[in-house]
Amino acid sequence: MDRVTDASPHGFPELPEYAERVLTVAETIPPGRVMTYGDVAEWLGEGGPRQVGRVMAVYGGAVPWWRVVRADGVLLPGRELVALDHYRAEGTPLREAGAASEGHVPRIAMARARWDGVPRGDGVSHGDGLRG
């Protein structure tokens, strides 16, 4: 599915410039890595976690939405199983849920999965984290 960047023949409105920038960041995140909503906003130098979350909710279906996540590593409510399939296919580090966890759905292991937005010359994306 293509993103809408101009008034399309299908009658969809033009994609806002900020949304385009957020979606471009989402497309840049390597498989197996994630950025938080706040990381994306910080990387762009504009907006905040809520603005990024809104863009992803409205326009994110055309990009790897599962790579933009909550800071606590909890999977997107209502899309947990779909996201989990993507994470497992991409080798995203997960923390298995304990038996007491509701639904026993794993979380993302943020310390290992978080991407800092900087491609490395060694061909490997390192998850140093944007916010230390």
Side-chain angles (χ1 to χ4, degrees), residues 24-39:
T24 298
V25 173
E27 291 176 321
T28 305
I29 302 167
R33 305 310 294 267
V34 299
M35 288 179 90
T36 68
Y37 298 111
D39 290 343

Side-chain angles (χ1 to χ4, degrees), residues 91-113:
T92 305
L94 299 170
R95 287 182 25 216
E96 291 302 321
S101 298
E102 183 178 334
H104 308 291
V105 177
R107 289 182 179 209
I108 298 164
M110 294 301 293
R112 293 182 293 142

Side-chain angles (χ1 to χ4, degrees), residues 65-87:
W65 54 266
W66 57 92
R67 296 182 192 153
V68 181
V69 301
R70 292 172 38 160
D72 62 4
V74 171
L75 307 190
L76 183 65
R79 302 290 290 162
E80 298 96 331
L81 298 180
V82 174
L84 193 55
D85 286 344
H86 287 293
Y87 297 138

